[in-house]
């Protein structure tokens, strides 16, 4: 028979397992599937891959537009501009109807997902939320002089203090967002962008090998490029690429791109190996991805490489810099032939720095404390259904039943 000590250990492990199973990440597209009035909005969250970024955030507020407002917006602008506009409608904090009417001093500026792109100077990536007279709440760009052109309409769904979905009357448009250049995929100057990002060596190799044409042919259907910096090619342990056969050099360069649009939010949620332009058959020349917070690392089977921020992101093309040359195990994982062997060194090649896989803190703002939200919504706020605060399989939560079970187990284990 198990001793009390071992029984407590077993029950403690069971308790932790129950909590791990009970806490699930929210899924914005699954939530919105239950609300057909926002089907166009939901569709563009998928097309722009913003849904992946939203699903990686622990605390978020989505300002949604109904189908009429979204159709008018998307009919006039390309996908890249729509993505920027929708990024302004994702707030990195939790706002429910009660909190909207309890803003300190009646107005606040809050950070949006657009601010995290690096393309939003000044207050361009912030939204102004103002509690107006008569129970109305206005929204607008935080850029000085901007008008509050949108207002709170109704509550759609809340899972305190994880995700809140609110409908607003009109799009929030920041100055310059609509007029920002939106080059077509076929017009992207790959080598020019790479050279500007400090990846001139990689750009020259693409040109001299002819692989640049392969990249350009993939632009319209979607392309993600992982470009090693010039310093990465100078690092110890990098093989002499001039000793590769032409075919192997082509495979190596094709290995640095994936034939799909995968912004960082998508990479953070990727579980399966991703194919590359060099992939030939199942499991050949694939990459695996791990994420910790905002840090994303690629694994080749030889060594890891950390993904930096995008130097270009305009659907369906995104270009990242990486801190190491990606060496596929298909070329360098076995005992190399003399033609593939790196130059002799006096000491073993150093292992990658642990910093390459160190997690970065999440960019999301901390959840609002429960004391900031009263039990009921103000009488002058727009009406919202009580069902909006319920949770389901699409939203992360810990159910009361699980909490009761855990407490019962803990109490029993202490007996």
């Amino acid at each position: 028979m198990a001793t009390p000590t071992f029984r407590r250990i077993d029950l403690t492990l069971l308790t932790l397992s129950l909590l791990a199973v009970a806490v699930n990440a929210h899924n914005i597209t699954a939530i919105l599937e239950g609300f057909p009035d926002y089907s166009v909005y939901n569709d563009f969250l998928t097309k722009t891959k913003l849904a992946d970024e939203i699903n990686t955030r622990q605390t978020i507020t989505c300002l949604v537009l109904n189908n009429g407002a979204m159709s008018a917006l998307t009919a006039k602008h390309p996908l890249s501009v729509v993505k920027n506009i929708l990024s302004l409608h994702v707030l990195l904090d939790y706002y429910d109807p009660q909190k909207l009417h309890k803003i300190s001093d009646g107005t606040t500026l809050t950070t949006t997902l657009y601010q995290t792109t690096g393309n939003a100077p000044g207050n361009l990536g912030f939204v102004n939320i103002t509690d107006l007279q008569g129970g109305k709440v206005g929204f607008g760009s935080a850029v000085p002089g901007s008008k509050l052109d949108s207002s709170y309409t109704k509550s759609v769904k809340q899972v305190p203090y994880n995700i809140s979905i609110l409908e607003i009357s009109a799009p929030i448009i920041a100055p310059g967002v609509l007029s920002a250049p939106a080059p077509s995929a076929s017009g992207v100057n790959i080598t020019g962008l790479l050279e500007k990002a400090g990846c001139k060596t990689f750009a020259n190799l693409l040109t001299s090998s002819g692989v640049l044409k392969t990249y350009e042919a993939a632009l319209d259907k979607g392309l993600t490029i992982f470009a090693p910096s010039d310093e990465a090619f100078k690092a110890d342990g990098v093989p002499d690429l001039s000793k590769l056969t032409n075919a192997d050099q082509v495979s190596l360069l094709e290995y640095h791109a994936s034939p799909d649009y995968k912004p960082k939010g998508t990479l953070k949620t990727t579980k399966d190996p991703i194919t590359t332009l060099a992939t030939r058959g199942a499991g050949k020349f694939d990459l695996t991805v791990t994420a910790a917070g905002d840090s994303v690392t690629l694994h080749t089977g030889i060594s890891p490489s950390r993904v930096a921020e995008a130097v270009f992101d305009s659907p369906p093309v995104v270009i990242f810099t990486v801190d190491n040359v990606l060496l596929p195990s298909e070329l360098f994982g076995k005992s190399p032939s003399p033609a593939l062997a790196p130059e002799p060194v006096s000491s073993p090649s150093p292992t990658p720095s642990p910093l390459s896989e160190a997690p970065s803190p999440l960019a999301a703002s901390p959840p609002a404390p429960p004391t900031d939200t009263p039990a009921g919504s103000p009488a002058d706020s727009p009406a919202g259904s009580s069902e909006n605060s319920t949770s389901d399989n699409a939203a992360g939560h810990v159910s009361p039943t699980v909490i009761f079970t855990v407490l019962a187990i803990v109490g029993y284990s202490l007996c």
Side-chain angles (χ1 to χ4, degrees):
M1 179 177 179
T3 65
T5 298
F6 284 110
R7 184 178 68 182
R8 290 191 185 98
I9 293 174
D10 291 341
L11 290 175
T12 299
L13 292 174
L14 175 60
T15 300
L16 294 175
S17 299
L18 283 171
L19 284 173
V21 170
V23 180
N24 302 302
H26 54 252
N27 184 325
I28 182 62
T29 54
I31 293 173
L32 290 177
E33 282 178 358
F35 300 91
D37 287 346
Y38 313 113
S39 60
V40 179
Y41 179 94
N42 200 18
D43 183 46
F44 275 87
L45 287 185
T46 300
K47 288 180 178 178
T48 60
K49 302 298 180 78
L50 284 174
D52 294 328
E53 184 64 42
I54 291 170
N55 291 342
T56 67
R57 301 280 173 169
Q58 293 180 344
T59 304
I60 209 88
T61 298
C62 292
L63 305 177
V64 300
L65 299 165
N66 63 31
N67 290 341
M70 275 299 298
S71 296
L73 177 68
T74 57
K76 300 176 183 178
H77 305 289
L79 189 62
S80 57
V81 172
V82 172
K83 179 177 182 177
N84 290 339
I85 294 173
L86 293 185
S87 296
L88 272 172
H89 292 68
V90 181
L91 313 182
L92 304 187
D93 202 350
Y94 180 84
Y95 287 91
D96 57 14
Q98 295 91 337
K99 186 176 178 180
L100 288 180
H101 290 270
K102 199 180 179 184
I103 296 173
S104 301
D105 301 322
T107 187
T108 187
L109 303 184
T110 190
T111 312
T112 71
L113 198 58
Y114 188 51
Q115 183 66 24
T116 68
T117 64
N119 299 322
N123 287 342
L124 199 63
F126 291 80
V127 162
N128 178 353
I129 307 175
T130 299
D131 189 5
L132 304 172
Q133 294 181 353
K136 295 182 179 180
V137 177
F139 294 85
S141 170
V143 175
S146 299
K147 297 179 180 180
L148 298 175
D149 290 330
S150 185
S151 59
Y152 166 65
T153 303
K154 65 180 180 180
S155 168
V156 178
K157 179 86 173 180
Q158 282 83 44
V159 181
Y161 292 89
N162 178 215
I163 183 170
S164 177
I165 304 175
L166 309 172
E167 181 186 296
I168 58 175
S169 62
I172 301 168
I173 306 297
V177 171
L178 296 182
S179 59
S184 63
S186 58
V188 174
N189 184 350
I190 295 176
T191 54
L193 290 167
L194 292 176
E195 290 173 2
K196 186 176 180 180
C199 305
K200 189 174 182 178
T201 302
F202 184 64
N204 290 339
L205 286 171
L206 290 178
T207 302
S208 62
S209 65
V211 174
L212 178 61
K213 293 181 179 180
T214 304
Y215 278 29
E216 291 173 340
L219 287 174
D220 288 331
K221 293 183 179 180
L223 185 67
T224 300
I225 299 174
F226 304 109
S229 64
D230 290 338
E231 293 302 315
F233 283 96
K234 300 175 184 177
D236 292 339
V238 175
D240 184 353
L241 303 185
S242 66
K243 294 186 177 181
L244 293 174
T245 65
N246 289 338
D248 286 345
Q249 189 175 116
V250 166
S251 294
L252 175 66
L253 295 173
E254 290 180 341
Y255 188 62
H256 285 74
S258 178
D260 194 9
Y261 174 62
K262 295 182 177 68
K264 200 166 187 181
T266 300
L267 291 176
K268 286 190 288 186
T269 60
T270 297
K271 304 300 180 185
D272 297 326
I274 62 175
T275 60
T276 67
L277 292 178
T279 299
R280 306 287 189 272
K284 298 296 184 182
F285 290 96
D286 285 346
L287 289 166
T288 56
V289 184
T290 57
D294 270 351
S295 180
V296 175
T297 303
L298 302 176
H299 301 270
T300 68
I302 301 294
S303 62
S305 184
R306 187 170 53 183
V307 177
E309 294 302 319
V311 298
F312 179 82
D313 185 352
S314 181
V317 181
V318 59
I319 301 176
F320 296 101
T321 57
V322 292
D323 60 5
N324 288 315
V325 177
L326 304 179
L327 302 177
S329 58
E330 287 80 2
L331 296 181
F332 304 100
K334 301 177 181 179
S335 298
S337 64
L340 300 180
E343 293 295 324
V345 292
S346 57
S347 60
S349 301
T351 57
S353 168
L355 293 177
S356 65
E357 301 198 45
S360 302
L362 284 173
S365 307
T371 55
D372 285 349
T373 304
S377 58
D380 59 356
S381 64
S385 170
S386 61
E387 296 179 358
N388 292 339
S389 293
T390 61
S391 47
D392 50 33
N393 291 336
H397 66 284
V398 181
S399 69
T401 302
V402 171
I403 293 176
F404 178 81
T405 303
V406 169
L407 291 176
I409 293 174
V410 172
Y412 175 76
S413 68
L414 295 177
C415 296

